[in-house]
Amino acid sequence: MSSSCIKPWLKHTRLPISKALSAFSDCAYSTSTTSNIVEADVQSAKAYCAGLLQKNDSPSYTLQTFIPPAAQIAYLAIRAFNIEIARVADTVSNPTVGAMRLQFWRDNISKTFAGSPPKQPVAILLAHSLDDLSRRTNGSSKMSKPWFLKIISAREQYLNNAPYPSLASLESYAESTYSTLLYLTLSALPLTSLTADHLASHIGKAAGITAVLRGLPLLAFPPPPNQHSNSPGTGGSLDIQRTRQGVVTLPLDVMASAGVRDEDVLRLGAEAPGLRDAVFEVATRASDHLITARQMLKNVRAGEDVDHAFEHEGEDGHDYDFPISENPGTSVNKVQNEDIERAFGVLMPAVATSLWLEKLQKLDFDVFREELRRREWKLPWKAYLGYRRRSF
């Protein structure tokens, strides 16, 4: 990377966030690499990633305070990576260029896990996080490279705003993106726990489904390219894959069942026949996942078995040993509660998702209401109360 690119990035912590991000934009896709990361690089990368969250994903920025301190840098790297991948569709002229940009990120991840991160802030912060995790655990724990690649592949599948064929396919997309972000953060604690991953799966699916609902108005009536909102709702402009021609990304089976037609939504907006019924059905599925997670939490705390198996157990990254406590004679249920206690800060996106769904219900499932795109002022104190009471 040329010195003309490095200098404004290293100095951007002295600038307002908007100017700092702009200063680096011309250098963000350089492919020069280095394995000699110094503290100044890490601090500049940390500031860049924090700014990226504050600008594009304010709920994640707010909720970082609940992540255990040792894993907060990894959390910033993971969430900033998600923003970079999610906004590819906003910054390219066609899906072919978008696919090339996503391949660039696959290469970035591969180089970072190989110990030669590109001189790019997300890659640098991720590399630092990987080294830190290895030091903290004497090499016994690591984050999963396949999970990062899984997120990229899931985003790529819908790069051209292809509709979700079914509600089940939307759930699968949410699992591959939002749930996987939670798995990565849990692994950075580090925590390998069937119970924690099972909760994260349901919470991530709820968050992902909700993100698609939140983005529906901006996809149907897209603003000019590269105009990002300041991340209201549960994840800001993530998933708002805008094109100049409006599209409707509700699952096709739900639209058919509710009698919703694309042309009606693009012509009538909120008044399209059947639209609120379709939104209700999709929102109900998201809410069901939150209800399931809450019931799991209640069962474990009551010493009862979780009433259903984790469907992803045995898949890549989801192999678990029999739970063992540091204290001999501790029951399996005690270990489950210990795992939940350690994981709870990572599960806080459930609070942001729940707040948005509650607001949607109060507005009679009119997803076009402006209130749904405003920053949720209740989130900081609702999250604080939820964390203190260990509830969502």
Side-chain angles (χ1 to χ4, degrees):
M1 179 178 293
S2 68
S3 59
S4 62
C5 282
I6 294 174
K7 289 181 179 178
W9 171 45
L10 291 177
K11 295 178 180 179
H12 86 270
T13 53
R14 303 173 188 173
L15 301 173
I17 287 172
S18 59
K19 292 184 179 179
L21 297 178
S22 176
F24 193 80
S25 62
D26 292 337
C27 323
Y29 292 98
S30 170
T31 57
S32 62
T33 62
T34 178
S35 56
N36 300 318
I37 299 175
V38 298
E39 184 62 22
D41 294 331
V42 174
Q43 292 304 316
S44 294
K46 180 180 176 182
Y48 173 87
C49 292
L52 204 61
L53 260 66
Q54 188 174 18
K55 179 178 175 63
N56 296 281
D57 187 2
S58 61
S60 291
Y61 183 81
T62 298
L63 296 175
Q64 68 177 309
T65 189
F66 303 105
I67 302 296
Q72 284 189 1
I73 289 182
Y75 172 84
L76 285 176
I78 291 165
R79 289 288 169 169
F81 162 80
N82 183 54
I83 293 172
E84 295 280 20
I85 300 304
R87 68 179 185 171
V88 165
D90 280 355
T91 58
V92 298
S93 57
N94 59 68
T96 300
V97 177
M100 294 172 63
R101 190 67 59 84
L102 290 177
Q103 183 58 48
F104 164 86
W105 276 103
R106 287 191 181 93
D107 294 341
N108 269 4
I109 292 298
S110 295
K111 291 174 183 177
T112 300
F113 273 82
S116 298
K119 200 73 172 181
Q120 196 279 344
V122 175
I124 287 174
L125 201 64
L126 178 58
H128 174 78
S129 301
L130 294 174
D131 289 344
D132 178 67
L133 179 61
S134 180
R135 285 194 299 269
R136 285 189 284 121
T137 64
N138 294 319
S140 63
S141 296
K142 60 183 180 179
M143 284 185 268
S144 170
K145 174 184 170 182
W147 280 347
F148 282 98
L149 299 180
K150 184 177 185 180
I151 293 171
I152 296 174
S153 295
R155 296 282 189 186
E156 185 174 36
Q157 186 178 359
Y158 295 98
L159 189 61
N160 63 348
N161 292 318
Y164 301 94
S166 64
L167 188 50
S169 65
L170 172 54
E171 282 184 307
S172 178
Y173 168 79
E175 168 68 25
S176 296
T177 51
Y178 286 80
S179 297
T180 303
L181 291 172
L182 298 181
Y183 301 149
L184 283 168
T185 309
L186 289 170
S187 70
L189 295 180
L191 177 61
T192 301
S193 165
L194 187 152
T195 302
D197 282 1
H198 197 171
L199 284 166
S201 177
H202 285 294
I203 291 169
K205 285 174 181 172
I209 293 170
T210 298
V212 170
L213 284 176
R214 186 188 63 250
L216 192 155
L218 290 171
L219 284 170
F221 300 98
N226 299 325
Q227 297 296 313
H228 292 268
S229 67
N230 192 27
S231 58
T234 60
S237 61
L238 303 187
D239 290 308
I240 301 173
Q241 302 168 339
R242 305 184 184 93
T243 61
R244 295 187 179 184
Q245 181 178 356
V247 294
V248 180
T249 54
L250 288 171
L252 296 179
D253 60 345
V254 174
M255 291 180 66
S257 176
V260 180
R261 300 189 306 170
D262 287 37
E263 55 267 34
D264 289 341
V265 176
L266 299 179
R267 183 168 55 91
L268 302 173
E271 302 307 315
L275 179 59
R276 295 194 189 196
D277 291 336
V279 171
F280 168 78
E281 184 174 347
V282 176
T284 297
R285 184 64 62 90
S287 182
D288 285 346
H289 281 293
L290 289 180
I291 291 171
T292 299
R294 293 184 186 114
Q295 187 60 49
M296 287 177 59
L297 201 60
K298 181 179 179 181
N299 287 353
V300 171
R301 286 173 174 167
E304 302 173 1
D305 290 333
V306 176
D307 59 2
H308 64 289
F310 179 34
E311 62 179 316
H312 302 291
E313 183 178 2
E315 295 179 4
D316 190 12
H318 293 297
D319 296 313
Y320 308 97
D321 296 325
F322 188 81
I324 300 175
S325 172
E326 296 178 357
N327 301 314
T330 302
S331 67
V332 171
N333 179 256
K334 178 66 174 178
V335 176
Q336 290 177 321
N337 276 284
E338 290 173 352
D339 288 348
I340 291 173
E341 177 65 22
R342 289 185 60 201
F344 206 85
V346 178
L347 306 178
M348 293 303 287
V351 177
T353 302
S354 180
L355 283 172
W356 195 89
L357 290 172
E358 289 171 4
K359 186 180 291 187
L360 178 65
Q361 182 179 16
K362 290 178 181 178
L363 296 173
D364 194 25
F365 299 95
D366 180 359
V367 76
F368 281 86
R369 290 287 290 270
E370 181 64 30
E371 296 95 313
L372 293 170
R373 293 190 293 279
R374 295 174 185 162
R375 189 188 296 257
E376 180 53 75
W377 62 270
K378 295 180 182 178
L379 179 58
W381 68 272
K382 282 283 189 179
Y384 168 76
L385 289 177
Y387 186 77
R388 184 174 181 180
R389 297 168 181 172
R390 296 300 192 269
S391 65
F392 44 74

